[in-house]
Amino acid sequence: MNGFSADWLALREPYDLRARNPAVLDAVVTWCKDIFAIRVVDLGCGTGSTLRALAPCLPARQNWRLFDNDFGLLARATAVVPPAEITVTATPLDLTRDLEAALDGPVDIITASALLDLVSESWLERLAVEISARSIPLYAAISYDGRTEFVPPDPFDAAVVAAVNKHQRTDKGFGPALGAKSAPFAIARLKSLGYSVTQGKSDWVLEPYDRDIQLEFFSGCAAVARQTVLAHVDMVDWLARRREFVAAGQSSIRVGHVDFWARQTGTL
Ligand SMILES: C[S@@+](CC[C@H](N)C(=O)[O-])C[C@H]1O[C@@H](n2cnc3c(N)ncnc32)[C@H](O)[C@@H]1O
């Protein structure tokens, strides 16, 4: 499970779509509904999952500017020709260096999906200050919140989840990542800057028949746990037991996420 591989992003996309919090999405759509031609900037766009999730809910005339530092993912994001009323441009950009360049120019909303838990406190502070100075709202979806639960339970689950959560805090290119603390930090900071926030859970619920993503998820957890606290043999045994549960159609997983929509309403 490489967090940014096109295969992994494709595998997770239907689960992200299903998980998006409907009340948060509804708040975004309601705010946007009277904009004649909406301009969206998507940060860390990957292959364009947010575009595909949000475009059908927005006013027909849309301009999307997609930013990512991975050329391969950007190429996939523009591989499908959108309807005539929607224009999409994909621009390679390093968000650690050139965040401000992505925000410049006319923009109605900023979106980000599965991005905030990768970034550091200082980068998120920078994002909050920059969007606040420009009075731009932010729709941030699918930020991990630290809850991972496996059914049936296994004695090693807690150690694996602790290792995964520890790994979440490591540097993903933005400095030490906020991981599970990213959404609460962003929400608190944006509120302090006069934003109103609608938030809600957007958990992945992986059912026994969601076998491919479960197998990939367990492999990723084992790889991470092996790098950190757990002995190799314990990890291999844990993974073997988990795979047996998947094969038997007995395994399910819940992964906690948060979505939020922040728009400027107050004056400071
Ligand atoms: C977990 S993926 C999420 C992709 C997409 N938003 C989605 O929901 O499927 C994180 C994305 O952030 C991008 N990314 C990571 N570091 C970046 C950086 N420094 N500058 C720009 N993009 C970056 C990755 O290439 C990847 O596409």
Side-chain angles (χ1 to χ4, degrees):
M1 180 174 71
N2 165 359
F4 310 150
S5 81
D7 286 347
W8 169 244
L9 295 181
L11 186 59
R12 63 175 288 172
E13 183 166 340
Y15 301 97
D16 286 346
L17 186 63
R18 192 163 85 186
R20 279 179 188 261
N21 185 281
V24 176
L25 182 58
D26 193 48
V28 177
V29 171
T30 302
W31 189 90
C32 295
K33 73 177 185 342
D34 295 327
I35 301 176
F36 175 67
I38 190 159
R39 298 153 303 187
V40 187
V41 162
D42 187 37
L43 304 176
C45 63
T47 64
S49 142
T50 298
L51 165 67
R52 287 184 288 277
L54 202 51
C57 312
L58 294 180
R61 293 173 77 94
Q62 302 170 26
N63 169 252
W64 285 76
R65 288 193 284 137
L66 311 180
F67 294 99
D68 204 286
N69 66 349
D70 185 315
F71 286 81
L73 299 181
L74 285 168
R76 285 178 168 80
T78 48
V80 177
V81 179
E85 302 94 337
I86 301 180
T87 56
V88 180
T89 56
T91 305
L93 179 137
D94 182 351
L95 289 169
T96 63
R97 203 186 55 194
D98 294 325
L99 168 65
E100 293 74 10
L103 305 179
D104 279 346
V107 47
D108 296 301
I109 67 169
I110 306 283
T111 60
S113 170
L115 178 75
L116 293 197
D117 45 33
L118 306 175
V119 308
S120 61
E121 182 173 323
S122 62
W123 190 88
L124 209 42
E125 167 70 16
R126 185 171 149 207
L127 176 69
V129 168
E130 292 295 334
I131 66 170
S132 168
R134 294 166 172 80
S135 299
I136 311 172
L138 171 65
Y139 173 40
I142 319 290
S143 301
Y144 179 57
D145 73 359
R147 289 175 297 126
T148 297
E149 295 152 16
F150 305 127
V151 173
D154 182 277
F156 278 93
D157 288 350
V160 172
V161 173
V164 167
N165 287 352
K166 189 172 172 199
H167 182 262
Q168 284 278 319
R169 304 296 301 269
T170 59
D171 191 339
K172 313 292 188 315
F174 295 79
L178 275 170
K181 295 190 173 156
S182 65
F185 176 85
I187 289 168
R189 189 64 182 108
L190 287 166
K191 281 183 174 172
S192 79
L193 291 166
Y195 278 72
S196 295
V197 176
T198 305
Q199 62 180 299
K201 288 180 181 170
S202 51
D203 294 358
W204 279 355
V205 181
L206 307 182
E207 304 286 2
Y209 47 81
D210 297 320
R211 288 188 177 157
D212 289 348
I213 190 164
Q214 286 207 30
L215 290 172
E216 202 57 33
F217 187 80
F218 284 132
S219 296
C221 290
V224 163
R226 216 165 44 214
Q227 286 166 27
T228 52
V229 289
L230 290 182
H232 182 80
V233 63
D234 291 334
M235 224 41 283
V236 171
D237 289 349
W238 176 84
L239 186 55
R241 288 193 295 277
R242 280 281 159 224
R243 285 180 173 157
E244 279 170 22
F245 287 134
V246 174
Q250 294 171 350
S251 173
S252 55
I253 310 176
R254 176 179 288 268
V255 183
H257 296 109
V258 179
D259 290 359
F260 70 88
W261 163 241
R263 68 276 179 208
Q264 223 171 27
T265 49
T267 46
L268 295 173

